[in-house]
Amino acid sequence: GREIDTAVVVGIGYPDDDIFVTMNRRNLDLTSAALSPAGLVTARRWLQKDTSFGGAETFLKIIETEIQPRVAALLQVDARRQMLWGHSLGGYFALLALFTQPTTFHTVIASDPAIFWDERSVLGFEAAFRQGVSERRFAPRVMLTYMGKGQTPYQALPGASAEELAAVNARVRDAR
């Protein structure tokens, strides 16, 4: 039989027991600085009014310049085989990292990515990424998962209109 390689799994969390503090920090770290006015209105309706957005670029830089080197100093890792995984807004972040920094991770897994976030702005980076892949400048491995048959889509979100709810549920379509 074939042996499975040793893996190092690094979870990035927030050391606070207050879920609202954690969610605010998560919303900041996982969203792009280019939040559109319409996207901001929608986000403010669904999330806490004092939530900040737009720290994804900084968060990705921290992963690259602080977290990855720290892990490499502690453990034997293969820098050519590093993976990023994220779910929902973390999946959006994973796609944003893939599209804007395609050589940072060997593999990117975006599970049920919140592609709808900020008026689907993450897809604006896709064309340049696709061109780079076709020109063989980089070739990351990508896995995209999404809610499948049998999963219950969102039935309600606080303050969401029917149109907004439909947009959230369009994430399955977007992932496809």
Side-chain angles (χ1 to χ4, degrees):
R2 190 169 170 225
E3 288 188 31
I4 297 175
D5 290 338
T6 301
V8 175
V9 177
V10 177
I12 302 172
Y14 303 99
D16 199 298
D17 292 334
D18 185 335
I19 189 68
F20 294 110
V21 171
T22 298
M23 292 305 293
N24 282 344
R25 182 63 190 271
R26 182 177 182 274
N27 293 332
L28 172 65
D29 286 346
L30 301 180
T31 57
S32 175
L35 193 62
S36 71
L40 183 59
V41 167
T42 301
R44 293 270 186 250
R45 193 168 324 147
W46 291 348
L47 304 170
Q48 285 185 259
K49 301 293 183 220
D50 61 346
T51 295
S52 296
F53 305 99
E57 291 80 3
T58 300
F59 187 51
L60 182 58
K61 186 71 122 176
I62 289 169
I63 291 171
E64 291 177 274
T65 62
E66 295 180 32
I67 296 173
Q68 287 176 321
R70 174 80 173 156
V71 172
L74 295 171
L75 302 162
Q76 185 177 1
V77 294
D78 184 347
R80 297 165 302 165
R81 295 182 61 206
Q82 295 194 33
M83 177 189 329
L84 177 65
W85 173 85
H87 173 261
S88 190
L89 199 53
Y92 164 92
F93 175 78
L95 288 179
L96 187 64
L98 172 71
F99 290 162
T100 62
Q101 300 291 325
T103 60
T104 300
F105 300 97
H106 174 259
T107 303
V108 172
I109 300 174
S111 297
D112 193 21
I115 294 171
F116 68 89
W117 181 259
D118 190 25
E119 309 294 307
R120 303 171 79 215
S121 64
V122 71
L123 298 179
F125 299 102
E126 183 184 17
F129 169 78
R130 190 182 295 258
Q131 181 175 349
V133 169
S134 70
E135 293 171 356
R136 299 177 191 254
R137 286 186 280 132
F138 40 80
R141 295 181 338 153
V142 179
M143 180 177 183
L144 187 64
T145 65
Y146 57 91
M147 290 187 302
K149 284 188 171 183
Q151 297 275 341
T152 303
Y154 289 106
Q155 299 299 317
L157 287 170
S161 68
E163 292 82 21
E164 290 165 334
L165 191 57
V168 171
N169 286 315
R171 65 191 341 178
V172 174
R173 181 201 68 231
D174 289 342
R176 285 185 181 153

